[in-house]
Amino acid sequence: ITAPITQRSQAQPTSFAGQVQISGSFTEDQAKTLATDFTYGALPVKLDRLTVQTVSPSLGKSSLKAGLISGLAGLALVMLYIIFYYRLLGLVVLAGLIVTAALLWATIAFMGESLNTTINLAGIIGLIVSIGITVDSYIVYFERLKDETRSGRTIRTSVDRGFASAFRTVLAADAVSLLAAVILYLISVGDVKGFALFLGVSTVFDVFITYFFTRPFVVLLGQSQGGLE
């Protein structure tokens, strides 16, 4: 070590006079340790390595594949129940989910091309969760529609009255989901941002699909008095 160094004493702290040069023979580990000590200071604790895990590059691909398979399986079960319970209206849900999937696919492709955004396992989970939000919007509308018809109104009248009441509920629910997604995206780091991003995008699409696709589709089916029976 070549530098004008004042020897440490109890009365006077070490002083380097603003100039220090370190020279000598060091191993790679010693050099890294010394650099870390100068950068962060020596930690007053001893760190022990407890476990070491080697992850294969194919793990991410397998996780994405498993997530997609589980999402498609859950979607298939939901659609079977919806079609069994709502019959013809279940086809409205199926068509709406197809339109939503197409919009999401186009959005993901655009973001990947222009913003270099990639979808990960957390993003897929966000999309799966959004399926439940989307299906809830249909159920709110259809149940309101059934209430209107039970009260003695015609199907044509029930379609508009039921939608006006149900859409307020859909907006409130989607607003809460969107707010949660925005807050989560702003305060989170890493993969959680992907979950929040795609959950928020799907929630926004749900509002547009409900108003510009679901309502006109149901109106067309309701043109005949028995079209929704």
Side-chain angles (χ1 to χ4, degrees), residues 33 36-48:
T33 301
T36 302
D37 290 343
F38 279 131
T39 303
Y40 303 105
L43 296 175
V45 294
K46 181 181 179 181
L47 301 178
D48 295 327

Side-chain angles (χ1 to χ4, degrees), residues 43-120:
L43 296 175
V45 294
K46 181 181 179 181
L47 301 178
D48 295 327
R49 179 181 297 179
L50 299 179
T51 60
V52 177
Q53 183 179 4
T54 302
V55 179
S56 171
S58 61
L59 179 62
K61 181 178 180 181
S62 301
S63 299
L64 287 174
K65 183 178 179 180
L68 289 173
I69 292 175
S70 61
L72 291 175
L75 178 60
L77 292 175
V78 170
M79 288 310 308
L80 286 175
Y81 176 79
I82 290 295
I83 293 175
F84 173 79
Y85 187 79
Y86 288 109
R87 291 175 289 181
L88 187 59
L89 286 176
L91 298 180
V92 178
V93 180
L94 178 60
L97 290 177
I98 292 175
V99 174
T100 302
L103 289 175
L104 286 173
W105 183 270
T107 302
I108 293 171
F110 172 78
M111 294 174 63
E113 183 70 22
S114 60
L115 304 177
N116 199 25
T117 302
T118 57
I119 185 171
N120 51 20

